[in-house]
Amino acid sequence: LAQGVKAFGLQRLRFCAPFGFSLDHPPRASTSEGMLRISRVALALRRARPRCGGFGSPRDHEPAWIARWNANHRAGKDSLDWFFRVFNSTGIYETFLKSSPRFYGFIVCGGMVGTYYWSRMWDHLWNYINQGKLYAHNPYIYPPAEED
């Protein structure tokens, strides 16, 4: 088994006890065919379960490039650091933006409310600029009724 391990480059292979074996105590094989079979199984298990944590388990790891990406923190280095600190302290992301259905609801409802108030703001600006020139500002005054 030791020669098979060296031949296939499995020197650093370690598995969790329930799912495979550890090279500290390799299984016994009496023939070279058995050793080849064990090394093929070990290679398949190595590819399938590299870190002894199934998909979604707390021990499941990201690829190395994602771990490096996550380790690169820009806290305190960015010119908008003050904005990120304020935004993170509001909890908007955790409440509305983290979940897809809540995100879509936030966008649709926020769009409706935002559109309404955007329109009202321009109406007020138009009224302010054209004060006294609009029909609503100059109501028709009926002449006094004549008495018979």
Side-chain angles (χ1 to χ4, degrees):
L1 180 66
Q3 291 173 346
V5 166
K6 288 180 184 175
F8 287 101
L10 303 175
Q11 290 90 353
R12 291 174 278 167
L13 184 63
R14 298 283 185 266
F15 287 100
C16 297
F19 303 109
F21 59 88
S22 168
L23 288 181
D24 296 333
H25 303 287
R28 303 277 184 228
S30 58
T31 65
S32 61
E33 181 182 308
M35 287 196 291
L36 183 60
R37 192 176 315 124
I38 289 173
S39 64
R40 285 185 182 170
V41 170
L43 184 60
L45 288 174
R46 177 181 179 200
R47 289 181 183 156
R49 302 188 55 82
R51 297 199 184 182
C52 299
F55 177 75
S57 77
R59 293 174 57 182
D60 187 27
H61 294 279
E62 303 90 8
W65 69 270
I66 293 179
R68 285 191 305 272
W69 182 299
N70 289 338
N72 182 18
H73 297 288
R74 295 200 43 85
K77 301 178 194 173
D78 207 309
S79 62
L80 290 175
D81 188 55
W82 63 271
F83 171 76
F84 298 133
R85 288 182 190 275
V86 171
F87 180 78
N88 290 338
S89 68
T90 62
I92 291 173
Y93 176 78
E94 287 79 10
T95 307
F96 297 110
L97 306 178
K98 201 170 189 179
S99 163
S100 292
R102 282 189 275 170
F103 171 77
Y104 294 134
F106 178 75
I107 294 299
V108 169
C109 294
M112 291 189 312
V113 170
T115 302
Y116 174 78
Y117 283 107
W118 181 259
S119 174
R120 296 292 296 154
M121 187 258 319
W122 287 112
D123 289 343
H124 285 287
L125 181 65
W126 180 261
N127 281 334
Y128 176 76
I129 291 171
N130 295 301
Q131 189 67 37
K133 299 176 188 173
L134 299 176
Y135 181 79
H137 301 154
N138 299 306
Y140 179 76
I141 299 175
Y142 292 98
E146 295 179 9
E147 292 183 27
D148 290 334

